[in-house]
Amino acid sequence: MFHLKENGTNVKTELIAGITTFLTMVYIIIVNPVILHEAGVPVDQVFMATIISAVVGTLWMALCANYPIAVAPGMGLNAYFTYSVVLASEGKIDYLTAFSSVFVAGIIFIILSLTPLRAKLITAIPENLKRAITAGIGLFIAFLGLRMGKVIVANESNLVSLGDLTSPGVMLTLFGLIITVILIVRNVRGALFIGMVVTGIVAAFTGQLKIDHIIAKPHLPQGILIWNPLDAFGDVIHYGLYSVVFSFILVTLFDTTGTLVGIMKQAGLMKGNQLPRARKALLADSLGTTIGSMFGTSPTSAFIESSAGVAAGGRTGLTTLTVAILFIIASFFGPLVGAVSGVAAITSPTLVIVGTLMISSVKEIEWHQFDEAFPAFLIILIMPLTSSISTGIAFGFIAYPILKIVTGEAKKVHLLLYIFAILFAIQLFFLHH
């Protein structure tokens, strides 16, 4: 089924690769509930929804695409869901309505994945803007991590300032950050997860973490949240969440495609510039997003952490089947995750480090070409300052075609980008909620 011999691997290697990938990405079942709980979603609900979406997307990748790439709710979009969609609306949009936009994005994503449109969208967006989106989300996530850990706090005169470094919570955050960074530079597999475990142990000894139960039967407190497409599309239209849906689609589109290509090149499984079974693989994140939103989580994407499993020898879907099984086992540890999610210092260092990894894409931006650099800079600058991924994308996508027109390179801009620029301008000036 997995064609192990043809791919130069064996069962033992695939199982070890799967365990490696799981350890590098299991932090998401702790971090995701922490972020979405800020929007009012119960921790238990997000915990199980995270696992369900990860299992669905990863199993599809394993059984249908036969790829060693795992899928789970993506970092950045969970923060965007909470802070830019729900909290920024000041009570106008609750998390159920926001999940409607994720559900709609998932449905549209499935349609795009079944047609050539997904490939066209990828080629329509300039590389510099794609890199800027990744970098901007990285800064946004890192800023969020520092804010959650109270390392930086609100300040009326200067918006933000340094927090009280002597407070127990901040000291624990800094300790967790230092420990995790040391693990990473020492090339310890699963460094993010191990860092959270060590920080959690210290939190327990210092009285900041209290654990009553560790294992319990998996459950969904609110059951299925969204299931009717008509109601979901109705919510998007009623609240004007078009840019939200577009941002979910756009970021996931680049995130997953870039991850797929990068890891498949690493594994030596690309055929020239072609991605074998690409359409089947591209359905994994769209299915995970759609199913995940029904139970209560933000969009899924292919996890770059899968590269750790590939480095350990993973070459087939048996690697990701192992990951999916381990996620199912993890579903029994809900009470432990619930307790840990109440201590921001345990999870906030992970956000800072993930942000560090994502900001690295700035080195590939063509800074010597101002008409390419300025729109990219706007995206990177606006995202963290407005706590909105879509607003950052909007500024960059509006500026890019304008600069190309004035430099006489209007024909080099894809028609879709002009359409996006017009839609974003309308959204910013007339429909901004």
Side-chain angles (χ1 to χ4, degrees), residues 185-239:
V185 298
R186 296 296 299 174
N187 296 316
V188 175
R189 289 174 180 170
L192 292 176
F193 178 65
I194 295 172
M196 285 195 293
V197 171
V198 174
T199 308
I201 292 172
V202 174
F205 276 108
T206 57
Q208 298 181 59
L209 172 64
K210 295 181 180 180
I211 301 173
D212 296 322
H213 302 286
I214 295 177
I215 298 176
K217 183 180 178 181
H219 72 290
L220 284 159
Q222 297 183 356
I224 297 177
L225 303 180
I226 305 293
W227 63 272
N228 190 328
L230 294 179
D231 290 342
F233 275 93
D235 284 342
V236 169
I237 294 170
H238 178 74
Y239 290 97

Side-chain angles (χ1 to χ4, degrees), residues 36 39-42 45-46 81-82 85-87 89 91-104 221-228 231-236 239 241 244 248 292-297:
L36 294 189
V41 195
Q45 185 79 22
V46 184
F81 176 97
T82 295
V85 180
V86 178
L87 297 184
S89 72
K92 295 178 182 178
I93 298 171
D94 60 16
Y95 67 81
L96 290 174
T97 303
F99 280 132
S100 289
S101 66
V102 180
F103 187 57
V104 169
Q222 297 183 356
I224 297 177
L225 303 180
I226 305 293
W227 63 272
N228 190 328
D231 290 342
F233 275 93
D235 284 342
V236 169
Y239 290 97
L241 300 176
V244 173
F248 283 144
S293 65
M294 295 173 65
F295 294 96
T297 189

Side-chain angles (χ1 to χ4, degrees), residues 4 9-18 313-316 318-319 322:
L4 300 182
T9 185
N10 56 59
V11 173
K12 180 182 177 181
T13 300
E14 293 292 299
L15 293 179
I16 292 174
R315 293 294 182 272
T316 73
L318 183 55
T319 293
T322 304

Side-chain angles (χ1 to χ4, degrees), residues 316-336:
T316 73
L318 183 55
T319 293
T320 34
L321 176 61
T322 304
V323 174
I325 292 171
L326 290 173
F327 267 117
I328 293 172
I329 294 172
S331 68
F332 290 90
F333 292 87
L336 177 61

Side-chain angles (χ1 to χ4, degrees), residues 25-356:
M25 65 181 292
V26 67
Y27 69 85
I28 194 64
I29 68 173
I30 301 174
V31 176
N32 207 40
V34 171
I35 294 176
L36 294 189
H37 182 59
E38 293 280 311
V41 195
V43 169
D44 288 352
Q45 185 79 22
V46 184
F47 171 70
M48 278 308 301
T50 300
I51 290 176
I52 290 170
S53 63
V55 170
V56 169
T58 302
L59 278 180
W60 181 274
M61 195 71 83
L63 303 177
C64 297
N66 196 27
Y67 278 0
I69 300 174
V71 174
M75 292 296 296
L77 288 179
N78 47 12
Y80 173 61
F81 176 97
T82 295
Y83 297 97
S84 301
V85 180
V86 178
L87 297 184
S89 72
E90 298 180 343
K92 295 178 182 178
I93 298 171
D94 60 16
Y95 67 81
L96 290 174
T97 303
F99 280 132
S100 289
S101 66
V102 180
F103 187 57
V104 169
I107 293 174
I108 295 173
F109 214 20
I110 289 174
I111 295 171
L112 288 175
S113 299
L114 290 171
T115 68
L117 282 176
R118 184 165 183 174
K120 289 183 179 179
L121 276 174
I122 294 169
T123 57
I125 311 303
E127 289 298 321
N128 289 309
L129 296 189
K130 295 177 189 175
R131 294 159 184 157
I133 290 171
T134 301
I137 292 174
L139 277 182
F140 179 26
I141 291 174
F143 174 75
L144 176 61
L146 292 174
R147 193 172 71 181
M148 286 174 58
K150 302 291 178 64
V151 177
I152 56 175
V153 295
N155 182 296
E156 289 186 8
S157 62
N158 196 34
L159 296 182
V160 293
S161 61
L162 188 65
D164 180 6
L165 299 185
T166 62
S167 68
V170 174
M171 290 180 69
L172 184 62
T173 298
L174 295 176
F175 169 80
L177 185 59
I178 292 169
I179 288 295
T180 309
V181 168
I182 290 173
L183 291 171
I184 289 175
V185 298
R186 296 296 299 174
N187 296 316
V188 175
R189 289 174 180 170
L192 292 176
F193 178 65
I194 295 172
M196 285 195 293
V197 171
V198 174
T199 308
I201 292 172
V202 174
F205 276 108
T206 57
Q208 298 181 59
L209 172 64
K210 295 181 180 180
I211 301 173
D212 296 322
H213 302 286
I214 295 177
I215 298 176
K217 183 180 178 181
H219 72 290
L220 284 159
Q222 297 183 356
I224 297 177
L225 303 180
I226 305 293
W227 63 272
N228 190 328
L230 294 179
D231 290 342
F233 275 93
D235 284 342
V236 169
I237 294 170
H238 178 74
Y239 290 97
L241 300 176
Y242 308 109
S243 67
V244 173
V245 172
F246 180 67
S247 293
F248 283 144
I249 292 173
L250 197 64
V251 175
T252 308
L253 178 76
F254 299 145
D255 199 9
T256 293
T257 306
T259 299
L260 280 172
V261 172
I263 295 179
M264 292 306 283
K265 283 183 178 178
Q266 176 191 354
L269 298 175
M270 291 282 287
K271 293 183 178 179
N273 291 322
Q274 297 299 313
L275 195 65
R277 304 178 300 282
R279 190 164 294 180
K280 290 180 180 179
L282 294 172
L283 272 170
D285 58 352
S286 49
L287 287 171
T289 295
T290 306
I291 300 298
S293 65
M294 295 173 65
F295 294 96
T297 189
S298 47
T300 62
S301 65
F303 257 56
I304 191 63
E305 286 83 351
S306 301
S307 60
V310 169
R315 293 294 182 272
T316 73
L318 183 55
T319 293
T320 34
L321 176 61
T322 304
V323 174
I325 292 171
L326 290 173
F327 267 117
I328 293 172
I329 294 172
S331 68
F332 290 90
F333 292 87
L336 177 61
V337 172
V340 169
S341 66
V343 184
I346 297 175
T347 53
S348 53
T350 300
L351 299 181
V352 177
I353 291 169
V354 171
T356 304

Side-chain angles (χ1 to χ4, degrees), residues 126 128-129 366 369-373 375 398-414 417-418:
N128 289 309
L129 296 189
E366 297 173 292
Q369 289 185 244
F370 196 76
D371 57 341
E372 293 280 341
I398 292 171
Y400 189 88
I402 291 175
L403 292 182
K404 288 300 180 182
I405 290 172
V406 299
T407 55
E409 297 184 333
K411 291 183 179 180
K412 292 183 179 180
V413 180
H414 198 286
L417 202 62
Y418 286 112

